[in-house]
Amino acid sequence: MTEPEIVDVVVVGLGVGGEEVAGRLAEAGLSVVGVERDLVGGECPYWGCIPSKMMIRAANALAEAHRVNELAGSAQVRADWAPVAKRIREEATDTWDDRAAVDRFTGRGGRFVRGAGRLDGPGRVRVGDQVYQARHGIVLGTGTRPSVPPIEGLADTPYWTNHQAIEVEELPDTLLVLGGGAIGLELAQVFARFGVRVMVIEAADRVLAVEEPESSEVAAKALRADGVTIETGVKAERVSHDGSAFTVHAGGGSYTGERLLVVTGRRAHLEELGLDSVGVDAKQRYLPVDNRMHAADGIWAVGDLTGEGAFTHIAMYQAGIVVADVLDHVRRAKGGPDASGTASVVGGAAGVVSAVGGAMSAGGSTVAPGSVPVADYRALPRVTFTDPEVGAVGLTEQQARDRGINVQIGFAELSSSTRGWIHKTPGDGFIKLVADADQGVLIGATSVGPAGGEVLSGLVVAVHAAVPVSQLRHMIYAYPTFHRAIETALKDLR
Ligand SMILES: Cc1cc2nc3c(=O)[nH]c(=O)nc-3n(C[C@H](O)[C@H](O)[C@H](O)COP(=O)(O)OP(=O)(O)OC[C@H]3O[C@@H](n4cnc5c(N)ncnc54)[C@H](O)[C@@H]3O)c2cc1C
């Protein structure tokens, strides 16, 4: 057994969140070991956000070309998957090779270790036979993996997860998609636009069940227009594969397809992390953290693992907090002023605590002197990149009512706005606002439309900064934009 190696910080899992933390702490001058079992960068660049959005970009180009027939003459379109697969291989993933990402990390001053990391008692991480002893802390950013439901027979079949769906070089003729959440719908629409006959099977009574019911309706209508069959309220009971096709059995009926894509959620694998060696319960679904990402004494967690939202922007946001807090710890360990102990919340909405202390550079972003940011998820934005896009922030109407808030709702159809009317096809979309009538501020909003995710940004500012509704009503909204529908929805608040 080799001697433990002493370093400042060990980061386990170099996905979006872990890589950001490890790189920035290394740039700040700490000795950092970054441990990654698979590919540095994690799910987002290789099997998630980036390649899926390349697929969506291509599929939307096809859809837009078809719209020429309605708006601008005639166009003949022949879909070809080869350029999409090539772009994912060559531009997005380097054929699933992370050499560039490893160099990026080591170029920032970090030390890279390939392998599976596991806690081995307080302050210690084991990778194979080597133990690393962290002077200042350990950061866990091990993410999630697809969660495969315990459906009879499923585990024995060659089903796809998002990995195979992203890596596919030749498209099947037919595809069953188990799960009608954001990832399921995005991929279903892409493949349908490339000529695959797709069926989405969803157990809930509507797709995109976590969003507003109006969003579910628009998304389902759009996918059906692309030829996708959507079955909701269907609980798969058994899956079989006969060598060439899958059959999903449910409620006395069955559905058959050449491929089966399972996108029913994701799961953190806490049991692999040695958490019991530091007294943390490994049987939880996610690793709970406080608002500075502390999971336990000397242990921070970041990203999907924390269960605060499975988005790259959450992982990056949390990474900024971890970096600032670890640097604060290091400063205090060296006898510097205690920034966190004297913290007070500034402005409520800002999610920044200010404290007595010196200026701090959190490796790239500057935190106000003596301030350590704390997590505030009230204005968490989320976008489903279907066409039309479904953007949302904060609470849905139902979530707000469940909390006993005195709710006001404002609604505007995009097609009734000048820009929506000009745009014509596809015309579906809307703005829905959820206001707290007592506070006079927006606490949630949904923006569905051709640029739903972009229109959302103004609404995120409104929720995050708690801008009074009275002020939002007296803003000037450029004409004729999609976001002008926000003004109409504000007038409708009641
Ligand atoms: C198809 C798809 C599309 C998506 N699209 C979007 C999108 O448009 N926008 C968005 O915001 N989000 C999107 N996401 C979600 C996004 O990819 C994740 O939120 C993000 O990758 C989370 O980052 P993370 O650092 O928490 O974890 P991950 O990216 O999962 O990285 C965790 C890393 O830890 C490593 N690891 C695990 N255990 C160990 C161990 N014991 N030792 C060493 N290494 C370990 C893993 O190999 C992995 O590389 C999408 C996801 C999918 C699947």
Side-chain angles (χ1 to χ4, degrees):
M1 174 75 59
T2 44
E3 282 289 297
E5 192 181 324
I6 297 172
V7 296
D8 287 331
V9 176
V10 181
V11 180
V12 183
L14 297 183
V16 176
E19 187 193 350
E20 178 72 1
V21 170
R24 285 171 61 180
L25 289 178
E27 277 174 348
L30 301 186
S31 63
V32 178
V33 162
V35 186
E36 171 56 49
R37 178 176 63 188
D38 199 349
L39 296 181
V40 173
E43 203 73 359
C44 181
Y46 298 103
W47 297 285
C49 336
I50 294 176
S52 69
K53 266 78 240 177
M54 278 184 175
M55 291 160 73
I56 288 167
R57 167 82 179 112
N60 287 357
L62 287 176
E64 203 56 12
H66 284 296
R67 288 166 194 148
V68 166
N69 295 318
E70 194 174 339
L71 293 172
S74 65
Q76 280 202 330
V77 185
R78 193 181 60 81
D80 180 6
W81 187 251
V84 186
K86 182 171 187 281
R87 193 167 178 219
I88 290 173
R89 226 185 311 113
E90 294 181 1
E91 294 178 37
T93 68
D94 239 347
T95 319
W96 291 273
D97 183 316
D98 68 350
R99 246 167 304 178
V102 172
D103 290 348
R104 183 171 66 213
F105 173 55
T106 54
R108 297 168 89 177
R111 188 144 76 76
F112 178 61
V113 174
R114 182 89 66 193
R118 192 181 166 84
L119 295 166
D120 192 38
R124 291 155 67 97
V125 171
R126 173 181 293 280
V127 186
D129 284 343
Q130 182 63 55
V131 171
Y132 299 91
Q133 177 82 45
R135 267 190 218 101
H136 295 299
I138 294 167
V139 182
L140 301 175
T142 49
T144 54
R145 295 206 292 275
S147 120
V148 178
I151 298 169
E152 189 190 329
L154 176 59
D156 301 326
T157 68
Y159 63 85
W160 279 0
T161 65
N162 60 301
H163 283 221
Q164 291 75 32
I166 296 285
E167 290 174 16
V168 65
E169 292 275 341
E170 277 188 35
L171 298 183
D173 289 333
T174 54
L175 174 71
L176 299 173
V177 178
L178 208 55
I183 295 174
L185 293 196
E186 288 180 4
L187 294 175
Q189 190 175 44
V190 164
F191 289 130
R193 287 180 167 184
F194 275 87
V196 180
R197 272 180 295 130
V198 182
M199 173 183 281
V200 174
I201 301 169
E202 167 58 51
D205 61 1
R206 60 187 174 96
V207 294
L208 284 188
V210 295
E211 298 299 352
E212 296 283 8
E214 297 91 337
S215 301
S216 307
E217 268 175 44
V218 173
K221 185 176 164 200
L223 263 73
R224 286 191 174 115
D226 280 314
V228 177
T229 305
I230 297 181
E231 296 284 349
T232 54
V234 173
K235 288 198 174 61
E237 289 150 8
R238 191 162 59 83
V239 173
S240 56
H241 184 252
D242 65 5
S244 58
F246 290 83
T247 305
V248 174
H249 305 266
S254 65
Y255 309 94
T256 301
E258 187 183 334
R259 292 285 173 193
L260 172 68
L261 169 61
V262 179
V263 274
T264 48
R266 302 183 62 89
R267 190 168 87 77
H269 289 261
L270 300 191
E271 72 283 358
E272 296 174 356
L273 300 179
L275 286 163
D276 42 340
S277 74
V278 293
V280 174
D281 178 9
K283 293 196 188 68
Q284 306 170 88
R285 190 169 152 80
Y286 295 106
L287 185 56
V289 287
D290 68 11
N291 60 10
R292 285 206 187 91
M293 308 297 127
H294 295 159
D297 195 24
I299 300 179
W300 286 259
V302 69
D304 283 10
L305 176 70
T306 65
E308 298 290 356
F311 301 104
T312 285
H313 44 273
I314 284 279
M316 298 293 280
Y317 173 74
Q318 293 177 331
I321 295 170
V322 172
V323 169
D325 203 46
V326 169
L327 291 178
D328 182 51
H329 257 68
V330 172
R331 188 175 51 217
R332 282 190 284 129
K334 291 181 175 166
D338 180 348
S340 61
T342 52
S344 64
V345 175
V346 173
V352 172
V353 295
S354 112
V356 182
M360 170 171 48
S361 164
S365 71
T366 305
V367 178
S371 296
V372 177
V374 295
D376 170 7
Y377 303 109
R378 287 171 314 109
L380 168 58
R382 42 199 195 271
V383 180
T384 301
F385 291 88
T386 43
D387 174 21
E389 292 176 357
V390 178
V393 59
L395 302 180
T396 61
E397 175 179 355
Q398 193 57 51
Q399 287 168 339
R401 292 197 190 284
D402 290 347
R403 291 181 189 199
I405 294 169
N406 181 11
V407 169
Q408 282 187 323
I409 300 298
F411 194 88
E413 294 280 0
L414 222 53
S415 56
S416 64
S417 73
T418 306
R419 181 61 181 277
W421 174 76
I422 292 168
H423 195 76
K424 194 170 167 110
T425 176
D428 287 329
F430 62 87
I431 300 287
K432 180 172 178 178
L433 305 178
V434 182
D436 179 329
D438 297 336
Q439 303 296 323
V441 295
L442 298 183
I443 50 173
T446 296
S447 153
V448 179
E454 305 305 323
V455 168
L456 186 70
S457 76
L459 296 165
V460 177
V461 174
V463 174
H464 178 79
V467 181
V469 165
S470 55
Q471 219 169 326
L472 294 172
R473 282 189 172 132
H474 289 283
M475 274 173 54
I476 303 170
Y477 298 82
Y479 180 87
T481 56
F482 290 117
H483 75 249
R484 253 182 89 80
I486 294 172
E487 190 181 40
T488 315
L490 283 163
K491 285 186 189 144
D492 184 55
L493 273 175
R494 61 195 133 101

